[in-house]
Amino acid sequence: MNTKRIIGLIALLSILLLAFTGCSSKTADADTKKALKVGVCAGPYGDMFKEAIQPSLEAKGYAVEIIEFSDYVQPNKALAAGEIDVNMFQHSTYLKNFSKENSLDLTAITEIPTAGMGIFSEKYKSIDAIEDGAIIAIPNDPTNLSRAIRILAQTNIITIDPAVDPTKATQYTLSSNPKNLQFTEIEAPQLPRSLDSVGIAIINGNYAISAGLKLSDAIYNEKIADGYVNVIAVKTADKNSQFANDIVEVVKSDAFKSVIEDPSKQYVSFQKPANY
């Protein structure tokens, strides 16, 4: 075999090797895009993703990994850092406020059925039964704290100063507190544990359910306002991605609704979003 033929064969083999390598690279990239890391907080929304969304995504070819967080801070920071691809645990107002305060570029892609906050008590059977000077446990993060104050105002036991932006209401912006209620701020996940030491606790629905409380046992259930329905969030750069579009498609599907509306599931009593 002459030198020219040897050089030609080597060149041909090199071309073939590069071609196969390129195919492998493209396949790996495609597989990577089909691997989704989903951040949730332990409780009903994590369950909802696993039961109502994950099966349909897997049917579309996605490999889904659920990552649980124990607070409301890390899921958004992990999303912004690219440690997860999507999260599902928060309402849109919290997402916007947290993103602004922490300079994160995150976007909601769809709303989901939501368990509202509830006013729970081991001491009182009704709002009217709450005594003068009762201790009220509320979330300590600004968004849910103001939400809790607004829920308490829905019962007419307190009145928020009309000069104050309701989204910024606190226990210090009341124009009327005739029962001299005393407020204590507690981390949202810990509120159910406070029930034996306070008069009432205003608890996020997901944490109430996770603690074994039933929304029907609350002495008052929130009338969820716009901006407080829970959402699925992604990095803004991914809002038009294929995986984001596929998630939205699943949430609008009959398969999703069949799980949500199953009478044996915890979601049947959740408030449905306007576009449900």
Side-chain angles (χ1 to χ4, degrees), residues 70-224:
S70 60
D71 61 40
Y72 280 2
V73 174
Q74 296 308 313
N76 280 334
K77 290 189 174 181
L79 180 59
E83 296 169 5
I84 58 176
D85 303 295
V86 56
N87 68 35
M88 189 173 100
F89 75 97
Q90 65 195 320
H91 51 67
S92 58
T93 298
Y94 181 86
L95 172 65
K96 290 175 183 176
N97 289 345
F98 190 93
S99 296
K100 182 178 180 180
E101 291 169 4
N102 293 275
S103 300
L104 306 181
D105 197 7
L106 308 178
T107 297
I109 56 173
T110 188
E111 294 180 327
I112 57 171
T114 303
M117 273 184 157
I119 299 178
F120 293 86
S121 178
E122 292 182 354
K123 186 174 183 179
Y124 306 116
K125 299 298 183 183
S126 69
I127 295 295
D128 291 339
I130 297 173
E131 299 169 312
D132 287 355
I135 298 175
I136 315 300
I138 55 178
N140 68 350
D141 66 277
T143 301
N144 283 304
L145 187 153
S146 65
R147 180 184 179 189
I149 294 297
R150 291 196 303 278
I151 293 166
L152 199 58
Q154 288 176 4
T155 72
N156 296 317
I157 198 172
I158 61 168
T159 304
I160 298 169
D161 186 337
V164 173
D165 179 350
T167 64
K168 297 179 181 178
T170 73
Q171 63 270 41
Y172 306 112
T173 63
L174 306 180
S175 60
S176 174
N177 181 11
K179 291 197 174 185
N180 193 32
L181 303 178
Q182 306 299 307
F183 295 88
T184 182
E185 298 180 23
I186 297 175
E187 289 187 5
Q190 305 305 318
L191 282 164
R193 298 181 184 179
S194 74
L195 281 171
D196 61 356
S197 60
V198 300
I200 66 173
I202 307 177
I203 307 174
N204 295 71
N206 59 317
Y207 287 130
I209 292 170
S210 297
L213 300 171
K214 295 181 180 178
L215 299 183
S216 58
D217 290 338
I219 61 175
Y220 183 84
N221 285 294
E222 174 187 20
K223 297 173 183 175
I224 302 178

Side-chain angles (χ1 to χ4, degrees), residues 202-270:
I202 307 177
I203 307 174
N204 295 71
N206 59 317
Y207 287 130
I209 292 170
S210 297
L213 300 171
K214 295 181 180 178
L215 299 183
S216 58
D217 290 338
I219 61 175
Y220 183 84
N221 285 294
E222 174 187 20
K223 297 173 183 175
I224 302 178
D226 290 343
Y228 292 88
V229 174
N230 275 30
V231 297
I232 298 176
V234 299
K235 289 194 293 187
T236 301
D238 290 332
K239 68 178 181 179
N240 295 316
S241 66
Q242 186 61 52
F243 78 79
N245 291 335
D246 284 340
I247 289 172
V248 173
E249 182 180 302
V250 169
V251 171
K252 294 181 180 299
S253 71
D254 290 338
F256 177 82
K257 291 179 180 179
S258 68
V259 175
I260 299 301
E261 296 169 10
D262 184 338
S264 68
K265 303 289 187 184
Q266 58 189 326
Y267 324 112
V268 70
S269 62
F270 286 19

Side-chain angles (χ1 to χ4, degrees), residues 55-69:
S56 293
L57 287 178
E58 290 177 341
K60 290 177 177 291
Y62 289 94
V64 178
E65 180 183 356
I66 303 291
I67 299 174
E68 290 190 354
F69 295 88

